[in-house]
Amino acid sequence: MIDTKRPPEDVRREIVMLPHDGEELALHIWRPQEIKGAIFYFHGLQSHAGWLWEVGPQFADNGIALFVLDRRGSGISTGARSEIPGVETVIADYVTAIEHTRRTIGDGVPLSLFGHCLGGSFLAALLHHPDFTTRYDSAVFCSTWLGRLHALLGEEERAALAAEQSEELWDAGLKATDFTDNPGYQHFIDTDVLAVRELTRRSRATLLGLERLYLEPQRELPVVPYVFASGLTDPIVNLDATHRVFTEMVSGRGTIIKFPTAEHYLFYTEARRSVVDWASAFAILQDPDRHV
Amino acid sequence: MGSLHWKDHWNTRRDPFTTECRDGRENLLTDLKDPKATQQRVLADIIDICADSLHWKERGYDRVATDPESFRSVLPVMRYSDFSDEIDREARTKGGVLSCSPVLRWLKTSGTTGTPKRVPYTLHWLLTYRIPAMQAMWGTYLEYHPEILAGPYATLDTQTVREVVDDYLHGVRYQAVSNRYPQINSRDWNPPWAESPWFGIEAPSSHSGRMYHRIRHLVGQELQFISAINPSTILALRDLVAEHGPALVRDLRAGTLEGRPFGEPDHETAQHLEKVLAMGAFTLTDVWPSLKLYSCWLSASAGLYQSKLDAVLPGVRRMPFMSCGTEGVTTIPVDDSADSQPLAINQAFFEFVPADVPVDELIASGGRIDTLLFDELEAGRDYSLIMTQGNGLYRLWSGDIYRVDRIVDGVPWIHFVNRFGIFHSFTGEKITEAQFSQAIENTREAHGLGNGLYLAGPQWAEVPYYVVVSETDDPRPELDSALSDAVDRELQEINIEYASKRDSGRLRPLRVFTVPTDAIAAYTESRRHATNATQYKYKPFQQDADFVTDLVSH
């Protein structure tokens, strides 16, 4: 378990560039000297690994190796900005990065998949895709509105969106104040030169396609612990709606947990330490050797 | 007097702090006994933390991981500006570009171009190098003067501060190396006095306000040790007692701090302070008869302050401060020697180049730079320093020049001589010729004066300052005054250390004197005849202020 009687970890922070399908994908890693568990993190629409400069070292200090892929076109990965490629490309990028992660940590280390906001929708889609075969030991959906487009758009609107080919930019309309009430973090979000704030309209068709993968599942999920985590409330996520989708998706086996904040981006709130500690313990406890 | 939590903290930290510092000193002494193995260990550690970084992999430098001996032939000597692009990238990713350690904060320090530098403060650097260096130095202080931890009021530490940071680089705090707030982890710098009310974030952030709080808290107490970096800080402390003496007496009598409730009235200390103030030329030992020790930089130009220090600290013993900059630590005191200290053998991988080699030109032209290792130096010679630090800034030529005083057990004992390109530095402001030129040119342009010759120089005084004589068609006192204010402001904008020293009263405002057009040209010409006619040329930056007397009549 987490060793609390020792000096701070001399955490390593590495960036591995994974060449895949014509692009260089940046896999960011914060890792302790001895890896007791690993978390693979799916960032949201606007963010990237550079948002986790405090979270990464804290996870690693708990014995957790944190892996974060800058999605194609996000962070320091190459690829067209403001563009989410087709569903199969998105899935293939994650399959590649998570296979690399599992090879890096070895079979004996429990691996937890952690999707934040839109990243949770990418995670849910990946879990249901037949190409994803890497073993994972738990999954966390954090402040994600699962099935958001299906909840907000009618059938005809969804059909129109699915056929969208336009490269016209669509403003996601995200405000820093939706993420956190901390002025320092708000300033960072507002001035982050790597943030993605707009998407092509055809990218939204990809998001719809990804939702279909888990709303119309073609395969069963493995029996591992699933958790939905959020603040007590969330300014941009309908928690009741997403809890329903989550519960159905994991066949009633999921846990719902709330942290004491009303903000969306838990890592930029007072709850950060609690979220990191809980997620660390949760990941480590799924060690395959622990089952009795 | 509010919460006494700080005293609990002092009592809790006293013994662990003593142990940590003594361990730091012992580790340094052990490493100094085997300097070659220590340098090899440091280089191996730096290669280990950097070889997998993006920059090293992209440039192919990672191949030195299997051949450390090739380090000097594979990696180039660099100026700070050569790292600019990589530092931009590192600022966005917060680690992984220059080294494989998380960047916890960015250190801000004056740059030669007027733009503050950004030095990555990484977790590995903190744990392995920067904090152990502090501990080793304080270990030496404690070895020689254990009384500095005699009680919660025994030490006034002005080396470091704890101030709320409001400047950020891509979300990460951007602050002076001397600001130790917030504490990053349990191994970060945490002296017993860290929570003292005159040391913490509740103290005013202005220099004079903070100093007043320090004095108010400590006057009447058994203060034994004043620790500073620059000697001017200690002199300013005495001046501040003189300037604010009546207010201090009032606060002591009323039991207040700047008029606000503080504690019980202290008539005895008030009376004592009144007597001291009435003496006029009082010393800090008059204020604190218990004072036994002070520490600050004592060598090179700092040594010019020695007579002033002797005057305000009669009979008080002294210890040196380490030679260091934001970029890294170069020497650490292991005894009370004022003139020289051993190379901080476990702090960086050190290389040297004879001081007469134009390193900057060779870097710019891509010329070959042959460096010497620590065991190839000769006593009595000056060398430019090239450091490879554990934060990823490798083979960095800072322009600092050190003199080797002697070799002890294979380790060079050195002291800082000067910095390449620096015009002058009274008290750590390190003003470059480029910065000074920019301030003058900006001011002349803003006042519609166009180009003109000028001379600039340092004016030593109780509180020193800079003087400028500048040519104009219409010299007059009103213009002198306007230009003085403007150049002073410009220089504060360009050089944050100058601004800090001006703010704290350690430097007086700069003065500009206007003289008629061609006056400086004529003066320069007269000097040509007076000295070597073939070698004398117009040099705007003078080493003293004698030219003012020669040129200024009003």
Side-chain angles (χ1 to χ4, degrees), chain A residues 6-17 28 30-31 48-54 56-57 61 70 76 182 184-185 187-188 191-194, chain B residues 45 48-54 57-58 89 92-97 99-104 123-125 127-128 168 170-173 185-187:
Chain A
R6 52 153 181 75
E9 275 271 358
D10 193 357
V11 172
R12 280 183 78 90
R13 194 277 189 246
E14 297 172 3
I15 303 170
V16 177
M17 300 306 290
H28 300 252
W30 288 264
R31 65 178 172 84
H48 52 87
W51 286 35
L52 299 171
W53 75 90
E54 293 165 314
D61 199 58
D70 277 346
I76 62 168
N182 180 302
Y185 293 121
H187 180 262
F188 165 66
T191 57
D192 179 20
V193 292
L194 294 182
Chain B
D45 177 66
D48 179 62
I49 201 70
C50 293
D52 287 330
S53 69
L54 280 186
K57 286 189 289 190
E58 288 164 358
R89 296 171 71 193
R92 292 193 286 268
T93 61
K94 291 92 171 170
V97 173
S99 83
C100 293
S101 186
V103 176
L104 305 175
L123 178 59
H124 185 71
W125 206 33
L127 292 173
T128 314
Y168 294 83
H170 297 284
V172 176
R173 288 183 178 85
N185 57 37
S186 62
R187 290 300 182 271

Side-chain angles (χ1 to χ4, degrees), chain B residues 76 157 174 183 197 254 283 362 413 478 496 545:
Chain B
D157 172 15
Y174 183 32
Q183 187 179 336
T283 69
L362 290 171
W413 281 54
E478 301 77 33
I496 56 174

